[in-house]
Amino acid sequence: MTNLWEKYKEELWWSILAMGAISGYLLSYLYFGQNLWIYFSCLAVAGIAVLKFPQVGLYLIFFCTLIFERHFTLQALAIGDVEYKLYPLDIIIGLTTLSVLLKLFFEHQEKNKIIFNKFDYPILVFGLVATASFIFALLTKVDTATAFGAYKNYFIYAIVYFLSLFILKTREDWKRLMFWFIFGSTIMFFFLGYGLLTGHGLWSEYTPLSTSGARLIAGTHAFYFVLFGFWSIAWFFWSSKENRLIGKKEMMFVLVLIALALVVSLVRHLWLALLMILILWLIYLPKSKKEILYGLFTKVLLFGILLSLLFFWIYGLKEGNSPVFVRKYLYVLQERVSISSVVNLQDESFRWRVSAWMAGVSLWRSSPFLGIGLGKQIIGYDELFFFDIPPRDLHNNYLGIFVQMGLLGIFAVIYWFIYLLKCLDKLWRDLCKKSDFDTILFFVWGNALILFMIVFSISVYWDINLFIIWWWLGLAAVRFLAVEHKKI
């Protein structure tokens, strides 16, 4: 990694300066509230860096999202008593886009051209359907801000995909981006430590549990830990000895901490999605990798048990009994794992979702082919109370697209995802026989795409920018590899 940055010293220093500026502002905002002088000063510093190096914009987008999540991606700009839904994320995306356009205008080079291919066509088809649905919504009585917000998450954030195509054109480009991803993921362990020490996760209050108890780490950070977990497992599978900055024992400890973060996050849909991905690994991984995976699983489990026993032993010697907070948390964990309440519709969250889904389907029947358009509210009732919600609150992105964009929209998604799965299969058959950076990159982002396709059906990942930008980055990575290996 040192040799890699030797060639890009200036870019590295501008990256550090820009990240320091944005991080400094966000920390100031968290402690003292928004100060417009600090806000625009820090953005000016970051803007200069991005205009000089457009790749710094991508580094900022993903690094700051990893650490500050919604405080970077969903923090409105307040001027006086008026709040504008112009987020720091959107400003950085805008600056990166401007930087790319200026580069295209002033540097007429062949390498700056982007040639669209078969991989892009399903994305563009979905984009056309989403745009048509947005225009249709504007022609009817609908809240414009809500409709634009839905359109923005469904397709406008695809700008991240197109920026990545332009900026990340070589393996070195992707290696530098992955460096910042790994660095940011490492900093996230602070949030795990905070949750374990205080008994509640920092910013976990934004996604409260439908059952008793509290998350010890926010669901957003748990999702980012999953992505980091994919890289950590790929590290064991394919990293060469000369490129390893840490040893296997240290990386094993990292995996134990990631597993712990996923457990204490209490995010059931991630547990379910990872179980499905594990089954796919058992089907598609070569025999040698399955053996490594089995060894990793057993070692992580044993290491985790030994650490837990050591903790209980030391605590017992000091206090004379087991810690109360651990007994309480084990009860909450048992409640989250149990499926009896879900099956019997006693789980409030699941019961409400079923009611919302039925109301959404009833509304879809009024316009089956084109859908009802973006921005419409869904009205229904759950037992004794009525609800009036936007489609994003269905907690099922496929159903949300089905209701808002009709058969046309859901067929566009099916066409897109079938093509994508075929592309992933072709790439994997080629890359699994190799052992290099491309294989690691595919394992991380190929699994990320499959994870998204699963959780789209049980949560709101397509409706929130701090999730969906990772989908577009994953697509850009797979497209890069497909072009490099001539699979499209």
Side-chain angles (χ1 to χ4, degrees):
M1 190 60 71
T2 305
N3 294 333
L4 174 65
W5 282 113
E6 201 61 38
K7 193 175 166 185
Y8 301 96
K9 282 183 180 178
E10 190 179 3
E11 177 194 312
L12 173 62
W13 285 114
W14 277 105
S15 300
I16 293 171
L17 182 63
M19 289 176 189
I22 296 298
S23 299
Y25 162 69
L26 292 170
L27 289 171
S28 170
Y29 164 78
L30 289 170
Y31 281 100
F32 307 111
Q34 190 175 82
N35 180 298
L36 291 180
W37 286 105
I38 298 176
Y39 183 83
F40 289 115
S41 297
C42 292
L43 279 176
V45 173
I48 294 170
V50 172
L51 290 175
K52 191 173 181 63
F53 295 102
Q55 53 268 41
V56 173
L58 282 183
Y59 305 157
L60 274 174
I61 288 167
F62 294 104
F63 177 83
C64 292
T65 301
L66 277 174
I67 308 304
F68 298 101
E69 43 119 290
R70 69 187 63 246
H71 299 292
F72 172 67
T73 64
L74 293 170
Q75 179 202 132
L77 173 62
I79 300 178
D81 296 328
V82 182
E83 281 196 351
Y84 301 92
K85 290 187 176 181
L86 181 62
Y87 311 131
L89 169 67
D90 297 341
I91 294 174
I92 297 300
I93 289 176
L95 288 169
T96 308
T97 304
L98 176 61
S99 180
V100 165
L101 291 175
L102 289 173
K103 198 174 182 68
L104 282 171
F105 182 78
F106 289 108
E107 297 180 15
H108 302 286
Q109 298 180 20
E110 191 69 26
K111 67 176 183 178
N112 287 335
K113 292 182 180 179
I114 296 175
I115 300 174
F116 290 111
N117 56 43
K118 290 189 293 184
F119 192 91
D120 306 309
Y121 299 153
I123 297 173
L124 296 174
V125 168
F126 175 77
L128 286 173
V129 175
T131 303
S133 185
F134 174 60
I135 295 171
F136 172 65
L138 294 180
L139 297 175
T140 61
K141 291 182 178 180
V142 69
D143 180 65
T144 305
T146 304
F148 179 74
Y151 179 55
K152 186 178 178 183
N153 285 310
Y154 278 132
F155 192 64
I156 290 180
Y157 279 117
I159 188 66
V160 172
Y161 171 75
F162 295 108
L163 289 173
S164 299
L165 297 189
F166 179 86
I167 295 170
L168 306 173
K169 290 189 172 181
T170 67
R171 287 177 180 83
E172 281 192 344
D173 295 335
W174 278 100
K175 284 179 181 179
R176 300 201 308 280
L177 177 75
M178 291 301 291
F179 166 80
W180 291 115
F181 167 72
I182 295 163
F183 181 56
S185 299
T186 305
I187 295 175
M188 281 199 305
F189 286 111
F190 160 79
F191 296 96
L192 176 60
Y194 179 92
L196 293 174
L197 289 173
T198 63
H200 68 276
L202 190 61
W203 308 329
S204 62
E205 64 273 14
Y206 294 104
T207 52
L209 296 174
S210 60
T211 54
S212 60
R215 306 183 197 276
L216 299 191
I217 190 169
T220 46
H221 285 129
F223 175 78
Y224 304 151
F225 266 125
V226 171
L227 300 183
F228 187 44
F230 290 154
W231 176 84
S232 302
I233 292 171
W235 184 94
F236 271 100
F237 284 166
W238 294 290
S239 67
S240 57
K241 291 182 179 179
E242 57 271 16
N243 291 329
R244 291 176 180 173
L245 297 178
I246 62 174
K248 285 191 174 182
K249 290 181 181 178
E250 291 81 2
M251 185 56 76
M252 185 67 66
F253 184 64
V254 168
L255 278 174
V256 170
L257 292 179
I258 292 173
L260 177 61
L262 294 178
V263 172
V264 301
S265 71
L266 300 175
V267 183
R268 291 183 294 194
H269 66 259
L270 281 181
W271 298 345
L272 177 62
L274 288 174
L275 177 62
M276 297 174 71
I277 288 175
L278 178 61
I279 293 171
L280 289 175
W281 288 353
L282 295 177
I283 295 172
Y284 284 98
L285 280 174
K287 185 178 178 182
S288 60
K289 306 305 179 190
K290 289 179 187 177
E291 292 173 355
I292 296 174
L293 183 66
Y294 175 76
L296 280 177
F297 181 80
T298 52
K299 287 176 184 176
V300 167
L301 184 61
L302 288 172
F303 196 15
I305 292 172
L306 286 173
L307 284 178
S308 301
L309 290 175
L310 181 63
F311 169 78
F312 286 126
W313 180 66
I314 294 173
Y315 191 95
L317 287 177
K318 183 180 177 182
E319 302 293 337
N321 60 356
S322 62
V324 174
F325 77 89
V326 172
R327 296 199 299 271
K328 178 183 176 182
Y329 198 80
L330 288 175
Y331 170 78
V332 173
L333 183 61
Q334 182 182 2
E335 192 177 16
R336 295 295 288 176
V337 171
S338 174
I339 63 170
S340 60
S341 61
V342 175
V343 173
N344 297 327
L345 295 183
Q346 293 174 348
D347 184 288
E348 182 182 338
S349 174
F350 183 73
R351 188 186 67 244
W352 182 86
R353 288 187 194 190
V354 171
S355 301
W357 293 346
M358 293 173 66
V361 172
S362 297
L363 191 59
W364 162 78
R365 291 187 182 126
S366 64
S367 180
F369 185 70
L370 296 176
I372 63 173
L374 303 181
K376 296 285 182 67
Q377 295 293 105
I378 294 174
I379 301 172
Y381 64 91
D382 174 31
E383 293 191 346
L384 300 177
F385 65 89
F386 285 88
F387 54 81
D388 185 358
I389 60 169
R392 62 179 289 174
D393 287 346
L394 290 171
H395 286 261
N396 185 323
N397 292 129
Y398 295 123
L399 183 58
I401 290 171
F402 185 53
V403 171
Q404 295 175 95
M405 303 183 203
L407 292 170
L408 189 62
I410 202 65
F411 284 154
V413 171
I414 292 171
Y415 160 61
W416 180 11
F417 285 10
I418 288 176
Y419 175 82
L420 180 58
L421 288 171
K422 288 181 178 178
C423 185
L424 290 173
D425 182 65
K426 285 181 183 177
L427 263 174
W428 176 243
R429 292 181 187 280
D430 180 37
L431 289 171
C432 70
K433 301 170 186 174
K434 301 175 181 179
S435 182
D436 54 20
F437 174 75
D438 286 6
T439 312
I440 293 175
L441 190 69
F442 176 83
F443 189 83
V444 175
W445 299 112
N447 277 297
L449 294 183
I450 293 171
L451 175 67
F452 269 111
M453 284 189 268
I454 296 170
V455 297
F456 280 157
S457 65
I458 44 182
S459 195
V460 293
Y461 283 72
W462 212 327
D463 294 303
I464 303 179
N465 57 11
L466 52 80
F467 289 127
I468 200 59
I469 58 173
W470 298 95
W471 163 257
W472 294 114
L473 180 66
L475 285 171
V478 170
R479 184 196 190 271
F480 165 78
L481 292 170
V483 171
E484 288 292 307
H485 293 265
K486 298 180 173 56
K487 297 301 176 184
I488 51 176

